[in-house]
């Protein structure tokens, strides 16, 4: 449900004008993701952008409130009370081991075949075989210590090769992720997820997902959330 419909004519607390453009942006991206044609995608894949956008919207509010102190408790409580934000996910981020949890679905054991957490919760160093994103969320890893620049490794990120090398090299392999298109980056990755970097349809979806809003402040925050600056 649109936040505008959810809130109706309710009086907005002070500071609302700071977050309204961002909420509109994320809502627009979510609407585009829902309406995107699903032909040629795996059944679960159509939900991946929705999980990522949901993460980014809530992380934006989390950073403003808990890290930067730029919105008041009154405004945060207003968002929580009217379910504009996912308080369960945000609360998890404040717990040790869940600092970059991609989605509550990743720890809902009722949604997996074997009644376990999603594969993205397993540290890369403990995995064997081919590294692939979670079929539930599209997250490659949101285990503590595996994320980059304060966030999970998503299926579209240029960090897949870095994640694979970290798994192979273990704790001593370093924590700096390569930039896209550079030596060691996703463009040169022979171990990339099923060759997705070269898939024109994946590239098209990646481009659409990373289209930036016109508001430079919103765009800057979104790039920061994605570890792009």
């Amino acid at each position: 449900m649109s936040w505008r419909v959810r809130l109706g004519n309710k009086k907005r607390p002070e500071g609302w004008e700071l977050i309204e453009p961002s909420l509109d942006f994320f809502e627009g991206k979510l609407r585009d993701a829902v309406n995107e044609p699903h032909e040629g995608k795996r059944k679960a894949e159509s939900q991946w952008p929705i999980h990522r956008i949901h993460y980014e919207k809530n992380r934006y509010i989390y950073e403003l409130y808990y890290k930067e102190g730029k919105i008041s408790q009154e405004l945060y409580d207003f968002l929580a009370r009217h379910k504009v934000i996912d308080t369960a996910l945000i609360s998890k981020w404040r717990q040790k081991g869940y600092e970059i949890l991609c989605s509550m679905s990743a720890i809902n054991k009722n949604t997996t075949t074997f009644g376990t957490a999603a594969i993205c919760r397993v540290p890369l160093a403990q995995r064997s075989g081919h590294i692939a994103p979670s079929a539930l969320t599209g997250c490659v890893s949101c285990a503590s210590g595996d994320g980059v620049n304060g966030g999970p490794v998503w299926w579209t990120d240029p960090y897949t090769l870095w994640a694979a090398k970290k798994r192979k090299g273990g704790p001593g392999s370093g924590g700096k992720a390569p930039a896209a298109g550079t030596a060691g980056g996703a463009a040169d990755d022979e171990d990339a997820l099923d060759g997705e970097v070269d898939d024109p349809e994946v590239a098209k979806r990646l481009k659409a997902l990373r289209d930036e809003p016109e508001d430079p402040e919103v765009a800057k925050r979104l790039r920061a959330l994605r570890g792009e600056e």
Side-chain angles (χ1 to χ4, degrees), residues 85-97:
I85 56 175
D86 186 341
T87 53
L89 180 59
I90 291 175
S91 294
K92 276 293 181 183
W93 289 336
R94 303 189 70 204
Q95 297 178 27
K96 186 176 181 180

Side-chain angles (χ1 to χ4, degrees), residues 173-195:
S173 60
K176 186 176 181 181
T182 62
D188 297 321
D189 181 13
E190 293 181 358
D191 296 320
L193 299 180
D194 298 324

Side-chain angles (χ1 to χ4, degrees), residues 113-136:
T113 303
F114 301 104
T116 62
I119 187 62
C120 58
R121 296 297 301 153
V122 179
L124 292 166
Q126 297 178 20
R127 298 191 205 177
S128 60
H130 180 62
I131 291 180
S134 164
L136 286 171

Side-chain angles (χ1 to χ4, degrees), residues 3-18:
W3 68 261
R4 292 186 181 276
V5 174
R6 192 184 298 276
L7 297 182
N9 294 322
K10 294 181 176 64
K11 183 179 179 181
R12 277 58 159 170
E14 183 178 353
W16 177 263
E17 65 282 354
L18 172 66

Side-chain angles (χ1 to χ4, degrees), residues 35-198:
N35 294 332
E36 183 181 356
H38 298 164
E39 291 81 1
K41 295 182 181 179
R42 290 168 287 180
K43 184 176 180 180
E45 187 183 350
S46 62
Q47 299 298 309
W48 292 1
I50 295 173
H51 284 287
R52 180 168 183 167
I53 295 165
H54 183 76
Y55 171 91
E56 290 173 347
K57 181 189 78 171
N58 284 281
R59 198 72 184 192
Y60 166 73
I61 297 297
Y62 169 83
E63 295 284 343
L64 283 182
Y65 182 59
Y66 286 108
K67 301 294 186 179
E68 302 176 23
K70 290 186 176 180
I71 61 174
S72 65
Q73 182 175 344
E74 180 187 11
L75 177 54
Y76 181 86
D77 290 345
F78 177 82
L79 295 170
R81 185 166 60 252
H82 295 290
K83 299 182 179 180
V84 178
I85 56 175
D86 186 341
T87 53
L89 180 59
I90 291 175
S91 294
K92 276 293 181 183
W93 289 336
R94 303 189 70 204
Q95 297 178 27
K96 186 176 181 180
Y98 297 92
E99 296 88 348
I100 56 171
L101 177 66
C102 65
S103 169
M104 292 299 291
S105 295
I107 56 173
N108 182 354
K109 298 180 181 180
N110 293 325
T111 61
T112 60
T113 303
F114 301 104
T116 62
I119 187 62
C120 58
R121 296 297 301 153
V122 179
L124 292 166
Q126 297 178 20
R127 298 191 205 177
S128 60
H130 180 62
I131 291 180
S134 164
L136 286 171
T137 65
C139 173
V140 177
S141 180
C142 59
S144 295
D146 281 350
V148 288
N149 297 313
V153 181
W154 296 97
W155 82 103
T156 51
D157 284 334
Y159 301 116
T160 302
L161 175 61
W162 168 83
K165 286 186 175 179
K166 181 174 182 179
R167 193 279 308 274
K168 293 175 182 176
S173 60
K176 186 176 181 181
T182 62
D188 297 321
D189 181 13
E190 293 181 358
D191 296 320
L193 299 180
D194 298 324
E196 287 181 341
V197 173
D198 296 324

